[in-house]
Amino acid sequence: MTALHRSAPDPIGKAEAEEFLIHEARLLDEQRYDEWMNLFAPDAYYWAPARAGQPDPHAEVSLIFDDREIMQQRIKRLRHPRIFAQLPPSRAVRQVTNVTVDDVDHKRGECTARSVFFMYEFRPTLPEPIHRIFAGEYRHCLRRSGNGLLIAWKKALLVNCDASFDPIFLYF
Amino acid sequence: MNAPDLLPIAGPLDGLIREDRVHKRLYNDAEIFRLEMERVFGRSWLYIGHASQVPKPGDYLTAYMGLQPVILVRHQDGSLHVLHNRCAHRGAMIRTDARGNTGKSFYCGYHGWTFKTNGELLAAPLKRAYAERYDLKCGDFGLARVPRVGVYRGFIFACLAPLSEPLPDLETYLGIGKQCIDKIVDRSPTGELDLNGGVQKYVVRANWKAQVENLNDTYHPPYSHECTTDENKRQFKRRPGDDGGPLLASDENQSIWDRIDAVAFDYGNSYCGPLPFNHEARGGPLYEAHRAALGERHAAEKVDEILTDNFHNVIFYPSVVMQLASIHVRTVRPIAVDRTEICVYPIRLKGVPEEMNRQLVRYLNITHSAASLIQSDDVEMFRRIQGGLASDGAPWVWFNRYMGDEADIPGGQSSIGTSELIMRNQYRAYRGYMAGAIP
């Protein structure tokens, strides 16, 4: 084995990616946002497009296009005692299935994991509760680091991304 | 017996609109909503779209005027038409997508009728079956045209009322609000806008008026949006060049929002702002590049004037608001008495550094998407209004702040920011429309 190969990180396999995605979904389900944020690389972004096939988050508006700074603001706001639209707060579960690992970049220790998600949200509120299902495809760029895997970027491609929505407070 | 169609103010609206308040039934009575669609949305100039969305012949977009589906289309000769989205034959919708290019004709999928892009019938299959007394080339068998279409600097409005009604033309209706549109267009060094930067859509579980009353309400931000502010009561930065976001500070005696202007004018229209506290100073490389690009077309003092904010949000009642800070168009579409759809279109400026438009898109995601950190606060309050007004415990919704303190200005009236002058002005126009008068 050459020195180059020895220095390359181990490739990320399907089982490892799947375990990671389930872990990530659980942190969101349980609203453990500090731990969830720690899964993201410093240069990471989270993107939920507003149009099917939207090629670019810069030329057109999105549902969500957050860098880490905005993610922090969003989470800080969710914890604010006067976020009236989350009093009482939403609850949600996310199911992650159909995981495949594509586009493995051995040199960078990165891969793109593709999966399908279903998310059920319930917001107990008057005059009537809000409950809804979001469904779509996740794309995660996963990067191997010293402390396990990190998310270099995450895309949540909702099937109905161009629908008119009730306000959305939770990450998919 | 009541004759509500002839005397609406003496009918279902009798006693429900006063100068300083309106009755809760205006928000949840289905019969009043039906009358609003006929008398307010049926007789006012409604925003349809922007010329940049339909640049080529055959380009179309679908829209609603109140509850009525329409198609904005550019005809082969370049003219713009707003057509009812309803086949002349048996009534099927012609297009059910958001936008596209239809070529030289529209096609109805039911019986294969085709229509020119100015609405005229092109062909009906097996036409021998129609007796001679039916002239298929007469207007009855084309896609009905909305009679009034007006364009001001690329912004397209239409009005459903027949031409026999003595209603104002578009520029008269826009009034002193034209200077707000001028400001937006002049910010482009080439005078061109691009409204093809996508759309953010959200549903409001409330009556449309709750949204429209909020668009120039500068009383609410420190309270509704408290969760969007940092320790210094400042919001996120909204555009490149600003050194900070809007300040939401207020105390027991004064809101910082008192310092801006509330300006009301004819037909229920109004604007607020500008927001002097949006930033302490503007600058930075993008701002300077924008200034330089404008300087290639305009004299220095004109550039200064263009870059000076003259408003924050302008409302063209009842269908649209345009914002200068995060430059966009926002449409209000009533769906039912308790349901409204809002669409937000970024306005990208041609001829500016592309990074400026990218920043605009970025900030609109934060401020105005369904998942935004700001607009979602407002939508929650509209939902709560609809829920609360189911109560018969109190009949009135109040708009009496700073009542009587307004001053006349050329073209309208002005008051301090947190006055409810603007809502009172909306209901003056509303009352006129609902009474069947020219507002």
Side-chain angles (χ1 to χ4, degrees), chain B residues 55-77:
Chain B
K56 296 191 297 292
D59 284 347
Y60 68 88
L61 61 82
T62 51
Y64 278 86
M65 299 181 71
L67 300 182
Q68 300 189 41
V70 296
I71 306 174
L72 167 67
V73 60
R74 192 176 289 277
H75 186 44
Q76 298 305 312
D77 66 2

Side-chain angles (χ1 to χ4, degrees), chain A residues 46-53 63-64 117 119 132-139 155-163 165 168 170-172, chain B residues 371:
Chain A
Y46 178 106
W47 183 27
R51 178 170 73 80
L63 289 173
I64 302 174
F117 73 92
M119 169 176 159
R132 52 186 169 174
I133 290 171
F134 296 102
E137 204 181 283
Y138 283 145
R139 305 271 171 90
K155 298 178 191 172
L157 310 173
L158 271 66
V159 172
N160 64 338
C161 61
D162 51 354
F165 291 101
I168 294 166
L170 303 181
Y171 284 105
F172 308 110

Side-chain angles (χ1 to χ4, degrees), chain B residues 334-359:
Chain B
I335 296 172
V337 67
D338 57 357
R339 201 167 180 87
T340 307
E341 182 188 56
I342 309 298
C343 292
V344 177
Y345 301 85
I347 299 177
R348 296 187 298 192
L349 304 176
K350 290 196 181 175
V352 302
E354 191 47 35
E355 180 59 20
M356 268 188 71
N357 290 324
R358 290 162 65 107
Q359 297 262 5

Side-chain angles (χ1 to χ4, degrees), chain A residues 1-9:
Chain A
M1 219 182 231
T2 66
L4 181 67
H5 280 119
R6 267 199 302 277
S7 66

Side-chain angles (χ1 to χ4, degrees), chain B residues 69-359:
Chain B
V70 296
I71 306 174
L72 167 67
V73 60
R74 192 176 289 277
H75 186 44
Q76 298 305 312
D77 66 2
S79 60
L80 291 164
H81 296 273
V82 180
L83 307 173
H84 284 268
N85 188 0
R86 172 231 197 264
C87 182
H89 176 216
R90 296 268 281 273
M93 287 181 98
I94 299 292
R95 297 299 324 193
T96 58
D97 49 1
R99 58 189 299 191
N101 185 289
T102 193
K104 290 185 174 168
S105 62
F106 287 110
Y107 182 80
C108 176
Y110 193 4
H111 298 95
W113 285 33
T114 49
F115 303 91
K116 295 181 193 171
T117 44
N118 64 358
E120 290 170 12
L121 179 69
L122 188 60
L126 311 176
K127 68 178 177 188
R128 276 196 310 172
Y130 293 98
E132 274 179 23
R133 65 180 178 278
Y134 295 108
D135 173 12
L136 291 184
K137 294 294 175 196
C138 85
D140 285 352
F141 298 102
L143 298 178
R145 282 184 205 158
V146 174
R148 297 165 207 250
V149 179
V151 184
Y152 183 72
R153 301 201 73 178
F155 293 93
I156 301 158
F157 291 74
C159 176
L160 289 161
L163 295 174
S164 56
E165 284 204 44
L167 292 172
D169 64 18
L170 178 61
E171 291 207 23
T172 306
Y173 160 80
L174 296 173
I176 56 174
K178 282 195 294 185
Q179 66 190 350
C180 303
I181 294 179
D182 291 341
K183 181 69 69 177
I184 289 172
V185 181
D186 291 345
R187 288 271 163 103
S188 161
T190 65
E192 295 171 292
L193 309 179
D194 173 17
L195 272 78
N196 297 296
V199 53
Q200 290 161 325
K201 299 191 283 192
Y202 48 90
V203 182
V204 178
R205 297 184 185 217
N207 185 267
W208 62 274
K209 295 189 290 301
Q211 166 71 88
V212 175
E213 289 154 10
N214 170 266
L215 295 169
N216 277 170
D217 179 328
T218 56
Y219 186 22
H220 80 283
Y223 318 105
S224 292
H225 300 300
E226 187 179 338
C227 66
T228 66
T229 56
D230 62 16
E231 296 70 17
N232 302 314
K233 298 291 176 199
R234 202 174 267 284
Q235 276 188 331
F236 328 108
K237 202 169 74 162
R238 295 207 183 181
R239 60 182 174 182
D242 288 354
D243 60 358
L247 192 60
L248 299 193
S250 66
D251 59 30
E252 283 299 301
N253 298 314
Q254 205 181 15
S255 168
I256 192 166
W257 295 78
D258 281 337
R259 285 162 43 193
I260 73 166
D261 290 331
V263 177
F265 45 105
D266 285 346
Y267 312 113
N269 298 339
S270 61
Y271 66 83
C272 68
L275 308 183
F277 43 88
N278 216 12
H279 49 87
E280 307 304 328
R282 297 205 73 194
L286 273 181
Y287 181 75
E288 294 307 328
H290 185 200
R291 171 178 284 279
L294 288 167
E296 289 175 21
R297 305 268 180 148
H298 303 288
E301 60 263 38
K302 178 70 176 171
V303 172
D304 285 341
E305 184 202 317
I306 289 170
L307 288 173
T308 301
D309 295 345
N310 63 345
F311 77 105
H312 176 54
N313 278 326
V314 62
I315 302 172
F316 296 110
Y317 187 83
S319 71
V320 68
V321 66
M322 300 178 192
Q323 185 178 106
L324 187 62
S326 287
I327 194 164
H328 71 266
V329 168
R330 194 182 330 171
T331 59
V332 178
R333 176 193 159 203
I335 296 172
V337 67
D338 57 357
R339 201 167 180 87
T340 307
E341 182 188 56
I342 309 298
C343 292
V344 177
Y345 301 85
I347 299 177
R348 296 187 298 192
L349 304 176
K350 290 196 181 175
V352 302
E354 191 47 35
E355 180 59 20
M356 268 188 71
N357 290 324
R358 290 162 65 107
Q359 297 262 5

